[in-house]
Amino acid sequence: MQRILTLVRHAKSSWNNSDLNDFERPLNSRGLKNAPEMGKRLADVDFKVDLIISSPAARAITTAELISSELGYNFKRINHNESIYEANLNTLLHLVSSLNDNIHRVLMVGHNPGLTSLCNYLSNAKIENMPTCSITQIQFSVNSWQSINEHSGELLDYDYPKKLKM
């Protein structure tokens, strides 16, 4: 049985309002452009998702909503998961391993450095730093999310806004 975990780092956020705390920071104009663009890139390759999970931070939720719109995924079904915000590798691994096995394709929107660490741990990727609004897709040949472990996945794709499409 195939399982696919798609990791999305939130789009570029704004630092213009110093009164806002980190959790409340919105996307800036580049982020508001990049998120739908990346969602469209996924839609263009007939990307399917069973569940979208996102950090509840403003910049992550907005990214998730903009991407979900391009995919035809109802944004009201996005799972807001507080454990993703400021999560380390172990927290993210626990979240993934606790996913319901009836779900085969998950898209998770979160933050660095956790997402880059998770991608490199689960696959043989050697990504130094996932840029804002980047997407990695990792495929697993397992019957249960609990069966994933270090380097058990295969990196299928790594895309980001500034990557040139041929």
Side-chain angles (χ1 to χ4, degrees):
M1 181 73 51
Q2 299 289 329
R3 302 200 184 275
I4 296 178
L5 177 63
T6 303
L7 303 174
V8 179
R9 182 176 174 199
H10 65 79
K12 190 76 174 164
S13 61
S14 173
W15 291 85
N16 288 343
N17 186 345
S18 60
D19 292 335
L20 294 178
N21 65 33
D22 181 70
F23 191 83
E24 297 169 328
R25 282 190 295 119
L27 295 182
N28 68 12
S29 59
R30 188 171 100 196
L32 290 168
K33 176 180 171 262
N34 288 162
E37 173 190 318
M38 295 306 290
K40 183 167 177 7
R41 287 187 195 180
L42 289 173
D44 287 348
V45 296
D46 201 29
F47 177 83
K48 303 288 187 231
V49 64
D50 300 321
L51 175 66
I52 296 179
I53 307 170
S54 178
S55 158
R59 61 195 182 275
I61 280 296
T62 304
T63 300
E65 290 174 351
L66 291 169
I67 288 174
S68 73
S69 176
E70 295 296 326
L71 297 174
Y73 185 96
N74 185 341
F75 73 91
K76 292 178 182 176
R77 292 182 45 222
I78 296 171
N79 179 316
H80 299 214
N81 190 305
E82 292 181 16
S83 67
I84 298 173
Y85 181 68
E86 296 187 335
N88 62 24
L89 174 61
N90 288 332
T91 300
L92 293 172
L93 279 172
H94 177 73
L95 175 63
V96 172
S97 68
S98 66
L99 289 168
N100 185 313
D101 288 332
N102 293 329
I103 299 167
H104 298 277
R105 298 167 303 226
V106 175
L107 185 145
M108 181 188 300
V109 182
H111 312 269
N112 261 352
L115 288 185
T116 299
S117 296
L118 182 64
C119 178
N120 290 333
Y121 180 86
L122 293 177
S123 70
N124 282 320
K126 292 180 176 40
I127 298 170
E128 190 171 316
N129 181 45
M130 287 176 62
T132 53
C133 214
S134 61
I135 298 173
T136 60
Q137 292 181 342
I138 306 166
Q139 178 176 288
F140 304 91
S141 296
V142 295
N143 290 324
S144 172
W145 290 104
Q146 290 180 346
S147 300
I148 66 167
N149 54 45
E150 187 172 12
H151 305 305
S152 63
E154 173 189 354
L155 185 68
L156 296 179
D157 193 23
Y158 173 41
D159 197 7
Y160 46 93
K162 291 184 179 180
K163 184 177 181 181
L164 294 176
K165 289 294 187 184
M166 302 293 170

